Amino acid sequence: AGGGERGAAWGLYLRIDRQRLQCLNERREGSGGLVFRAWEERGDRAQFVESDDDEELLFNVPFTGNVKLKGVIVMGEDDDTHPAEMRLFRNIPHMSFDDTAREPEQTFSLNRDPTGELEYPTKIARFSNVYHLSIHFPKNFGAETTKIFYIGLKGEWTEAHRHEVTICNYEASANPADHKLEQITPQTHFIS
């Protein structure tokens, strides 16, 4: 695929609910949201997220609709701060580090990718109806902190269907006054 076509495929960052996006254990407040951007801008090394206390990072990524996630790109530094493993969880809003003990939908062993070219394809059957994606990076290649410059998400977006509350009234027994029929007209017959 050409550069323009490939960039368009990585457009799910436009479908992220930025107000509710969370990154746990980020050193600089709000820096986690900066790594979700256009594929063409992945080379911007001024925007990155770095872990704070240890090498773990956890992203809670809510979408504005339903997503069929097809692939992920993770771009880091060409050194030991690059994440070595990525675990994906679906539809667990407000996930915390305690929740990462559960079994993920898919786990990836990552290679160092300083140019943002390596694509990790997801098991589409497991990621076909995602409204919230949690991305856990449990370890890196040996550094004290983890640094990520870009996370690309490829897939298809559909608008969420809102199921509103419907109020229905059911009749326990029919009221004949509500169900008048024109064909039936009462007739009286007199026998003399």
Side-chain angles (χ1 to χ4, degrees), residues 137-170:
F137 297 99
K139 60 185 180 183
N140 58 27
F141 286 96
E144 288 193 16
T145 61
T146 298
K147 201 178 211 181
I148 298 173
F149 290 98
Y150 170 77
I151 297 176
L153 302 173
K154 180 169 88 172
E156 298 169 15
W157 177 86
T158 54
E159 199 166 344
H161 298 290
R162 299 269 183 238
H163 295 286
E164 302 294 332
V165 175
T166 306
I167 299 172
C168 297
N169 292 324
Y170 294 97

Side-chain angles (χ1 to χ4, degrees), residues 18 20-36 48-52 56-62 95 97 135 137 146 148 151:
R18 297 275 177 180
R20 293 177 25 237
L21 175 70
Q22 255 188 329
C23 179
L24 305 183
N25 197 32
E26 61 187 353
R27 179 168 287 175
R28 215 172 62 244
E29 184 78 28
S31 60
L34 302 175
V35 300
F36 297 96
F48 62 89
V49 62
E50 189 171 6
S51 62
D52 192 14
E56 277 191 276
L57 279 170
L58 176 62
F59 292 87
N60 281 310
V61 185
M95 192 167 170
F97 284 110
I135 309 171
F137 297 99
T146 298
I148 298 173
I151 297 176

Side-chain angles (χ1 to χ4, degrees), residues 68-69 90 105-106 122-130:
K68 181 189 287 186
L69 186 66
R90 70 179 185 89
E105 260 65 50
Q106 194 168 355
T122 61
K123 296 175 183 166
I124 295 174
R126 291 191 182 180
F127 294 97
S128 64
N129 195 15
V130 180

Side-chain angles (χ1 to χ4, degrees), residues 6 17 45 76 87 97 178:
R6 183 152 188 215
D17 184 345
R45 293 224 170 292
R87 305 169 77 229
F97 284 110
D178 291 341

Side-chain angles (χ1 to χ4, degrees), residues 80 132 183 189:
D80 291 345
H132 187 281
Q183 300 100 338
H189 298 283

Side-chain angles (χ1 to χ4, degrees), residues 29-47:
E29 184 78 28
S31 60
L34 302 175
V35 300
F36 297 96
R37 57 184 185 266
W39 186 78
E40 295 81 11
E41 297 170 17
R42 71 191 185 289
D44 181 359
R45 293 224 170 292
Q47 298 184 55

Side-chain angles (χ1 to χ4, degrees), residues 75-135:
M75 183 177 134
E77 202 69 82
D78 194 10
D79 61 14
D80 291 345
T81 64
H82 194 292
E85 187 179 308
M86 174 174 64
R87 305 169 77 229
L88 300 181
F89 300 85
R90 70 179 185 89
N91 301 342
I92 309 171
H94 312 294
M95 192 167 170
S96 69
F97 284 110
D98 294 338
D99 299 320
T100 61
R102 68 172 62 188
E103 188 69 28
E105 260 65 50
Q106 194 168 355
T107 302
F108 298 91
S109 291
L110 303 180
N111 293 310
R112 289 189 178 104
D113 185 13
T115 58
E117 294 289 333
L118 292 177
E119 179 182 336
Y120 298 95
T122 61
K123 296 175 183 166
I124 295 174
R126 291 191 182 180
F127 294 97
S128 64
N129 195 15
V130 180
Y131 58 85
H132 187 281
L133 179 70
S134 297
I135 309 171

